[in-house]
Amino acid sequence: MKLLRYGEKGSEKPGLLDDDNQVRDLSGHVPDIAANVLAPESLAKLATIDPRSLPVVAGQPRIGPCVGQVGKFICIGLNYADHAAESNMEVPKEPIIFNKWTSAICGPNDDIQIPRGSLKTDWEVELGVVIGKGGRYIDEANALEHVAGYCVINDVSEREWQLERGGTWDKGKGFDTFGPLGPWLVTKDEIPDPHALHLWLEVDGHRYQDGNTRTLIFSVPQLIAYLSRCMSLQPGDVISTGTPPGVGLGIKPDPVFLRPGQTMRLGIEGLGEQRQVTVQAD
C-alpha cells in the first residue's frame, strides 16, 4: 500500500494512493497515518480494504507529511563511504546519530524556508524508515519485522549551524521545513529489498545526487538494532538513513548552496518524488 496524508497543514486526513494514482480517503477507517495505525495488525487490516470502495478525493489536494504525530525523527550521519569522503570526514565505525526536531517536518512539496542569514543551506536525499512495531534491544535478524514502510526524506541542512557554530549537528538540521516526508509511506511488502533502491536529487534541473542504497555502510536492520540499544523505538518513529554523495558542501573546488527561488526535485525508486521551492524565511 501507498499510504498518505492530504489536506491543509495541521488538518491532514489519512489517504491511500490507488493503482490509478488517485487519492482515496481513508478517514472512515482510521483517524490518521500515525502511531498504532502503523502496527503490523493494523496495516494488515487496511490491506484487506478494496481501494475502489473508498471515496476518491477530488482535485489536487496538498500532500502532507506521510506520517503524523511523529515521536522521534532520528537521523544517521555519514552512512555512505563516498559521502564521508566528500565531506572530508572519516568513515564511521559506529552509526552517527543526530535528531531533527519534529517541528522541522513538512509535506513533500511544501516550500523550504532558507533561515535568516543563511548562506549554507544544503540538500540531502535519504531513505526514510518508519517504525510500525516498537521495541528495545531488537535483534538484527528480526529488525525488519519492526518496519511499517519506507519513504523519501530530504534532510535539508544548514552547514554553518551544523559544523561551525559549536555543539551538535542538531542545530543545523532542525530548522522549520528541514524535514519533508513523503509523498507516501510505502509499506514494506512493496519494497522487497530496501538496499537496492536508486535515489537522486536535482536543483534547477541539474542532477547533483545519483546513488543507490546498496552502498549504505550500516544497513536498515543494523541501524534498527543499534538504535534500539540507545532508546526504545515506537510506532511512528522515523529514521533517516543517510545520504549518498553529491551534496552542495562536497562540490569541488567551491561548494554550492541553496538560495531563494530555486527548485529541488528528488526521489527514490518505488517511493515517489518530492518537489520543493526554496523561499526566504520571514
Side-chain angles (χ1 to χ4, degrees), residues 4-5 12 62-68 105-108 110 179-183:
L4 57 91
R5 301 169 70 247
E12 291 93 348
R62 168 186 173 267
I63 302 299
C66 60
V67 183
I105 294 172
C106 66
D110 291 347
L181 302 181

Side-chain angles (χ1 to χ4, degrees), residues 72 74-76 94-95 97 99 129 131-147 218-235 237-239:
K72 295 190 289 295
I74 310 160
C75 300
I76 308 300
E94 295 192 33
I97 303 171
N99 299 288
V129 179
I131 297 297
K133 176 184 175 183
R136 297 172 64 201
Y137 302 106
I138 297 167
D139 290 334
E140 187 177 321
N142 303 323
L144 291 183
E145 296 176 8
H146 293 259
V147 174
F218 302 105
S219 68
V220 173
Q222 287 175 315
L223 292 174
I224 291 172
Y226 187 92
L227 290 169
S228 74
R229 294 166 59 189
C230 306
M231 66 194 83
S232 61
L233 295 176
Q234 298 160 336
D237 286 348
V238 175
I239 304 168

Side-chain angles (χ1 to χ4, degrees), residues 7-8 20 31 41 52 56 59 72 75 92 117 120 170 175 180 182 187 195 205 207 244 246 270 273:
E8 297 303 311
D20 296 319
E41 56 274 15
R52 294 171 296 182
V56 174
K72 295 190 289 295
C75 300
K120 296 183 178 181
D170 307 58
F175 286 91
T187 52
H195 308 103
R207 183 158 295 196
E273 298 184 11

Side-chain angles (χ1 to χ4, degrees), residues 87-103:
S87 301
N88 296 316
M89 297 182 184
E90 293 183 6
V91 174
K93 295 180 176 60
E94 295 192 33
I96 294 173
I97 303 171
F98 61 92
N99 299 288
K100 281 185 180 285
W101 321 126
T102 54
S103 54

